[in-house]
Amino acid sequence: MDQTTAGAVRADDGTRLAYREKGTGEPILFVPGLGYASWSWEPQLEQLGDRARVIAMDNRGTGTSDAPPGPYTIETMAEDALAVSRVVPGPVHVVGASMGGYIALTLALRHPNVVTSLTLISTTSGGPGCTPVPDATLEAWATSDRVSPQEYARATMPLSFAPGWTTRHPAEFERLLRMRLEHPTSSRAWAAQFAAAAAYLEAGAPEGEVDVPVLIVHGTEDRVVPYANMAHLARRLPSATRLTLPGAGHLCWIEEADRVNQAIEAHVLSSSAKD
Protein backbone atom coordinates (compact mmCIF):
# COMPACT_ATOMS: atom_id res chain seq x y z
CA MET A 1 0.00 0.00 0.00
CA ASP A 2 1.20 3.52 -0.82
CA GLN A 3 -1.00 5.53 1.54
CA THR A 4 -1.36 5.36 5.30
CA THR A 5 -4.42 3.34 6.30
CA ALA A 6 -6.18 2.76 9.61
CA GLY A 7 -7.14 -0.46 11.35
CA ALA A 8 -8.05 -1.90 14.71
CA VAL A 9 -7.87 -5.16 16.64
CA ARG A 10 -9.22 -6.37 19.96
CA ALA A 11 -7.12 -7.08 23.02
CA ASP A 12 -7.86 -10.14 25.12
CA ASP A 13 -10.04 -8.04 27.42
CA GLY A 14 -12.04 -6.62 24.52
CA THR A 15 -10.27 -3.27 24.35
CA ARG A 16 -10.25 -1.91 20.80
CA LEU A 17 -6.70 -1.02 19.75
CA ALA A 18 -6.23 1.27 16.77
CA TYR A 19 -3.22 1.48 14.51
CA ARG A 20 -2.01 3.22 11.36
CA GLU A 21 -0.17 1.33 8.65
CA LYS A 22 1.84 2.12 5.54
CA GLY A 23 4.01 0.23 3.10
CA THR A 24 5.03 -3.34 2.34
CA GLY A 25 8.02 -5.49 3.20
CA GLU A 26 9.64 -6.14 6.54
CA PRO A 27 7.02 -5.45 9.25
CA ILE A 28 7.97 -2.90 11.92
CA LEU A 29 5.66 -2.22 14.89
CA PHE A 30 6.06 1.20 16.54
CA VAL A 31 4.90 1.62 20.15
CA PRO A 32 4.43 5.18 21.47
CA GLY A 33 5.24 6.67 24.84
CA LEU A 34 3.28 8.06 27.78
CA GLY A 35 0.16 9.88 26.59
CA TYR A 36 1.30 9.83 22.97
CA ALA A 37 -0.23 7.91 20.08
CA SER A 38 0.54 6.88 16.50
CA TRP A 39 0.77 10.52 15.39
CA SER A 40 4.15 10.72 17.15
CA TRP A 41 5.57 8.23 14.63
CA GLU A 42 4.65 10.30 11.58
CA PRO A 43 8.30 10.73 10.43
CA GLN A 44 8.74 6.96 10.55
CA LEU A 45 5.46 6.26 8.72
CA GLU A 46 6.36 8.77 6.03
CA GLN A 47 10.00 7.78 5.49
CA LEU A 48 10.21 4.10 6.39
CA GLY A 49 6.76 3.36 4.97
CA ASP A 50 8.33 3.60 1.52
CA ARG A 51 10.66 0.68 2.29
CA ALA A 52 8.94 -1.45 4.94
CA ARG A 53 5.53 -2.31 6.36
CA VAL A 54 5.24 0.24 9.16
CA ILE A 55 2.54 -0.23 11.81
CA ALA A 56 2.15 2.52 14.44
CA MET A 57 -0.26 1.70 17.25
CA ASP A 58 -2.30 3.75 19.70
CA ASN A 59 -1.82 2.40 23.22
CA ARG A 60 -4.98 1.91 25.25
CA GLY A 61 -6.21 5.30 26.43
CA THR A 62 -4.70 7.26 23.53
CA GLY A 63 -5.47 8.19 19.95
CA THR A 64 -8.56 6.36 18.70
CA SER A 65 -8.03 3.26 20.84
CA ASP A 66 -10.46 2.53 23.65
CA ALA A 67 -9.72 4.03 27.06
CA PRO A 68 -10.93 1.49 29.61
CA PRO A 69 -10.79 2.40 33.31
CA GLY A 70 -7.47 1.76 35.02
CA PRO A 71 -5.39 0.45 36.45
CA TYR A 72 -3.10 -0.22 33.50
CA THR A 73 0.18 -2.12 33.65
CA ILE A 74 3.11 -2.32 31.27
CA GLU A 75 2.43 -6.05 31.01
CA THR A 76 -1.16 -5.35 29.89
CA MET A 77 0.05 -2.89 27.29
CA ALA A 78 2.65 -5.41 26.10
CA GLU A 79 -0.22 -7.83 25.50
CA ASP A 80 -1.95 -5.03 23.58
CA ALA A 81 1.16 -4.68 21.40
CA LEU A 82 1.09 -8.45 20.88
CA ALA A 83 -2.51 -8.20 19.67
CA VAL A 84 -1.58 -5.50 17.16
CA SER A 85 1.46 -7.48 16.00
CA ARG A 86 -0.86 -10.27 14.94
CA VAL A 87 -2.00 -8.28 11.91
CA VAL A 88 1.26 -9.62 10.49
CA PRO A 89 1.55 -13.38 9.83
CA GLY A 90 4.82 -13.87 11.66
CA PRO A 91 7.30 -12.06 13.88
CA VAL A 92 7.82 -8.30 13.67
CA HIS A 93 10.57 -5.82 14.34
CA VAL A 94 9.51 -3.74 17.35
CA VAL A 95 10.42 -0.11 18.01
CA GLY A 96 9.45 1.47 21.31
CA ALA A 97 10.11 4.95 22.63
CA SER A 98 10.00 6.06 26.27
CA MET A 99 7.12 4.12 27.89
CA GLY A 100 6.79 2.40 24.53
CA GLY A 101 10.30 1.08 25.18
CA TYR A 102 9.12 -0.41 28.46
CA ILE A 103 6.31 -2.08 26.52
CA ALA A 104 8.57 -3.27 23.70
CA LEU A 105 11.17 -4.76 26.04
CA THR A 106 8.45 -6.47 28.09
CA LEU A 107 6.89 -7.86 24.90
CA ALA A 108 10.25 -9.30 23.83
CA LEU A 109 10.78 -10.91 27.23
CA ARG A 110 7.27 -12.34 27.49
CA HIS A 111 6.83 -13.37 23.83
CA PRO A 112 10.27 -13.76 22.26
CA ASN A 113 8.90 -15.72 19.31
CA VAL A 114 7.03 -12.71 17.94
CA VAL A 115 9.95 -10.24 17.96
CA THR A 116 12.58 -10.23 15.20
CA SER A 117 14.52 -7.27 16.56
CA LEU A 118 14.19 -4.46 19.10
CA THR A 119 14.88 -0.76 18.79
CA LEU A 120 14.63 1.03 22.15
CA ILE A 121 14.55 4.83 22.01
CA SER A 122 14.80 7.27 24.93
CA THR A 123 13.98 4.54 27.41
CA THR A 124 15.22 2.39 30.28
CA SER A 125 14.94 -1.07 31.78
CA GLY A 126 14.01 0.52 35.12
CA GLY A 127 14.73 -0.99 38.51
CA PRO A 128 17.67 -0.30 40.81
CA GLY A 129 20.26 1.97 39.26
CA CYS A 130 18.04 3.66 36.69
CA THR A 131 17.89 7.46 36.66
CA PRO A 132 14.35 8.70 37.41
CA VAL A 133 12.32 11.35 35.65
CA PRO A 134 13.71 14.73 36.78
CA ASP A 135 11.76 16.55 39.50
CA ALA A 136 11.19 19.59 37.26
CA THR A 137 9.49 17.40 34.66
CA LEU A 138 7.38 15.62 37.27
CA GLU A 139 6.29 18.95 38.71
CA ALA A 140 5.18 20.14 35.28
CA TRP A 141 3.31 16.90 34.65
CA ALA A 142 1.49 17.19 38.00
CA THR A 143 -0.85 19.80 36.49
CA SER A 144 -2.45 17.29 34.13
CA ASP A 145 -5.66 16.93 36.14
CA ARG A 146 -6.14 20.70 36.60
CA VAL A 147 -5.96 22.06 33.05
CA SER A 148 -7.38 21.20 29.65
CA PRO A 149 -5.53 18.81 27.34
CA GLN A 150 -4.70 21.81 25.14
CA GLU A 151 -3.16 23.80 27.99
CA TYR A 152 -1.36 20.75 29.32
CA ALA A 153 0.19 19.84 25.96
CA ARG A 154 1.39 23.38 25.27
CA ALA A 155 2.89 23.74 28.74
CA THR A 156 4.63 20.37 29.04
CA MET A 157 5.51 19.17 25.55
CA PRO A 158 8.51 21.54 25.20
CA LEU A 159 10.19 19.55 27.99
CA SER A 160 10.22 16.54 25.69
CA PHE A 161 12.39 18.36 23.18
CA ALA A 162 15.95 19.54 23.62
CA PRO A 163 16.22 22.93 25.34
CA GLY A 164 15.42 25.65 22.82
CA TRP A 165 14.11 23.30 20.10
CA THR A 166 10.55 24.66 20.15
CA THR A 167 11.86 28.24 19.93
CA ARG A 168 13.96 27.35 16.91
CA HIS A 169 11.13 25.38 15.25
CA PRO A 170 7.89 27.21 16.18
CA ALA A 171 5.90 26.19 13.10
CA GLU A 172 6.83 22.51 13.50
CA PHE A 173 5.96 22.64 17.20
CA GLU A 174 2.51 24.07 16.41
CA ARG A 175 1.96 21.38 13.77
CA LEU A 176 2.85 18.63 16.24
CA LEU A 177 0.54 20.16 18.84
CA ARG A 178 -2.32 20.07 16.34
CA MET A 179 -1.64 16.42 15.62
CA ARG A 180 -1.48 15.59 19.31
CA LEU A 181 -4.72 17.42 20.09
CA GLU A 182 -6.74 15.91 17.24
CA HIS A 183 -7.44 13.01 19.63
CA PRO A 184 -6.22 14.28 23.01
CA THR A 185 -5.41 11.88 25.82
CA SER A 186 -7.69 12.39 28.82
CA SER A 187 -6.17 13.11 32.23
CA ARG A 188 -7.69 9.83 33.49
CA ALA A 189 -6.01 7.73 30.80
CA TRP A 190 -2.74 9.66 31.17
CA ALA A 191 -2.75 8.99 34.91
CA ALA A 192 -3.39 5.28 34.33
CA GLN A 193 -0.44 5.08 31.92
CA PHE A 194 1.76 7.12 34.27
CA ALA A 195 1.02 4.75 37.17
CA ALA A 196 1.94 1.78 34.97
CA ALA A 197 5.20 3.44 33.94
CA ALA A 198 6.04 4.38 37.55
CA ALA A 199 5.53 0.79 38.70
CA TYR A 200 7.82 -0.44 35.91
CA LEU A 201 10.52 2.08 36.81
CA GLU A 202 10.47 0.91 40.42
CA ALA A 203 10.40 -2.83 39.76
CA GLY A 204 12.36 -2.99 36.51
CA ALA A 205 11.73 -5.01 33.38
CA PRO A 206 10.76 -8.67 33.78
CA GLU A 207 13.55 -11.18 34.28
CA GLY A 208 14.88 -13.04 31.29
CA GLU A 209 17.21 -12.75 28.33
CA VAL A 210 16.61 -10.98 25.04
CA ASP A 211 17.99 -13.11 22.21
CA VAL A 212 17.25 -10.82 19.27
CA PRO A 213 19.37 -7.94 17.94
CA VAL A 214 18.84 -4.71 19.90
CA LEU A 215 19.50 -1.09 18.97
CA ILE A 216 19.46 1.53 21.74
CA VAL A 217 19.03 5.19 20.75
CA HIS A 218 19.19 8.13 23.17
CA GLY A 219 19.69 11.89 23.07
CA THR A 220 22.08 13.53 25.48
CA GLU A 221 19.63 16.33 26.36
CA ASP A 222 16.72 14.09 27.35
CA ARG A 223 14.73 15.79 30.13
CA VAL A 224 12.23 12.95 30.59
CA VAL A 225 14.28 9.74 30.62
CA PRO A 226 17.79 11.08 31.27
CA TYR A 227 20.63 9.99 29.03
CA ALA A 228 22.31 8.09 31.89
CA ASN A 229 19.63 5.43 31.38
CA MET A 230 21.27 4.43 28.10
CA ALA A 231 24.24 2.94 29.96
CA HIS A 232 21.91 1.38 32.52
CA LEU A 233 19.85 -0.27 29.76
CA ALA A 234 23.01 -1.43 27.97
CA ARG A 235 24.12 -3.25 31.11
CA ARG A 236 20.87 -5.23 30.90
CA LEU A 237 21.40 -5.74 27.15
CA PRO A 238 25.18 -5.97 26.74
CA SER A 239 25.05 -7.11 23.10
CA ALA A 240 23.02 -4.10 22.00
CA THR A 241 24.24 -1.57 19.48
CA ARG A 242 24.13 1.99 20.83
CA LEU A 243 23.50 5.27 19.03
CA THR A 244 24.01 8.49 20.97
CA LEU A 245 22.49 11.67 19.56
CA PRO A 246 24.42 14.66 20.94
CA GLY A 247 22.18 17.60 21.77
CA ALA A 248 18.92 15.73 21.09
CA GLY A 249 16.03 15.63 23.54
CA HIS A 250 13.53 12.98 24.56
CA LEU A 251 11.67 13.13 21.23
CA CYS A 252 14.89 12.48 19.34
CA TRP A 253 13.13 10.36 16.70
CA ILE A 254 11.26 13.54 15.70
CA GLU A 255 14.15 16.00 16.17
CA GLU A 256 16.64 13.75 14.35
CA ALA A 257 14.21 11.80 12.18
CA ASP A 258 16.55 11.22 9.25
CA ARG A 259 19.37 9.86 11.38
CA VAL A 260 17.11 7.73 13.57
CA ASN A 261 15.26 6.32 10.56
CA GLN A 262 18.52 5.42 8.86
CA ALA A 263 19.62 3.59 12.01
CA ILE A 264 16.31 1.74 12.31
CA GLU A 265 16.38 0.71 8.66
CA ALA A 266 19.96 -0.55 8.88
CA HIS A 267 19.12 -2.43 12.08
CA VAL A 268 16.03 -4.03 10.55
CA LEU A 269 17.88 -5.08 7.39
CA SER A 270 20.79 -6.46 9.38
CA SER A 271 18.49 -8.37 11.72
CA SER A 272 16.46 -9.80 8.85
CA ALA A 273 19.62 -10.98 7.09
CA LYS A 274 20.48 -13.05 10.17
CA ASP A 275 17.15 -14.93 10.15
Side-chain angles (χ1 to χ4, degrees):
M1 64 187 70
D2 295 325
Q3 301 298 318
T4 302
T5 60
V9 297
R10 294 284 176 181
D12 289 344
D13 64 1
T15 300
R16 178 183 175 276
L17 302 165
Y19 63 89
R20 297 166 65 200
E21 181 176 6
K22 182 181 179 182
T24 60
E26 284 291 324
I28 313 174
L29 174 65
F30 288 82
V31 189
L34 172 61
Y36 285 50
S38 56
W39 65 265
S40 63
W41 294 113
E42 183 201 34
Q44 287 65 50
L45 280 163
E46 290 301 313
Q47 295 182 26
L48 294 176
D50 291 335
R51 300 181 290 279
R53 182 178 179 181
V54 176
I55 304 162
M57 67 178 290
D58 294 342
N59 294 320
R60 61 177 57 211
T62 65
T64 59
S65 287
D66 288 346
Y72 298 174
T73 67
I74 297 300
E75 289 78 10
T76 296
M77 288 188 279
E79 295 303 308
D80 291 346
L82 174 66
V84 176
S85 77
R86 287 174 174 153
V87 304
V88 174
V92 297
H93 303 271
V94 182
V95 180
S98 193
M99 185 191 74
Y102 312 168
I103 295 167
L105 179 55
T106 301
L107 173 65
L109 290 166
R110 289 168 65 99
H111 300 284
N113 59 312
V114 304
V115 178
T116 305
S117 74
L118 271 180
T119 300
L120 303 172
I121 306 174
S122 304
T123 194
T124 178
S125 55
C130 77
T131 302
V133 179
D135 289 342
T137 301
L138 289 173
E139 289 169 6
W141 286 354
T143 64
S144 64
D145 61 348
R146 301 195 296 272
V147 297
S148 70
Q150 291 79 5
E151 293 171 306
Y152 176 76
R154 185 170 294 278
T156 61
M157 195 170 170
L159 290 170
S160 293
F161 291 102
W165 189 91
T166 55
T167 301
R168 296 190 300 273
H169 303 87
E172 179 65 3
F173 178 57
E174 292 298 327
R175 189 181 72 87
L176 291 167
L177 275 176
R178 290 193 297 271
M179 292 170 62
R180 175 175 178 167
L181 293 172
E182 185 176 354
H183 299 286
T185 301
S186 70
S187 59
R188 176 181 59 81
W190 189 94
Q193 288 193 357
F194 176 80
Y200 171 95
L201 287 176
E202 181 176 358
E207 294 183 0
E209 299 293 330
V210 174
D211 293 327
V212 298
V214 181
L215 171 66
I216 301 173
V217 181
H218 219 124
T220 60
E221 300 302 314
D222 193 326
R223 294 181 283 175
V224 178
V225 181
Y227 176 64
N229 284 289
M230 183 187 220
H232 177 72
L233 178 57
R235 285 192 288 272
R236 174 71 189 265
L237 302 167
S239 300
T241 300
R242 288 186 267 180
L243 173 62
T244 292
L245 299 173
H250 188 61
L251 298 176
C252 62
W253 66 96
I254 295 176
E255 294 178 38
E256 300 279 355
D258 289 346
R259 189 172 180 191
V260 172
N261 287 344
Q262 289 171 7
I264 292 172
E265 183 177 12
H267 181 62
V268 164
L269 291 175
S270 173
S271 302
S272 300
K274 294 175 182 177
D275 289 348

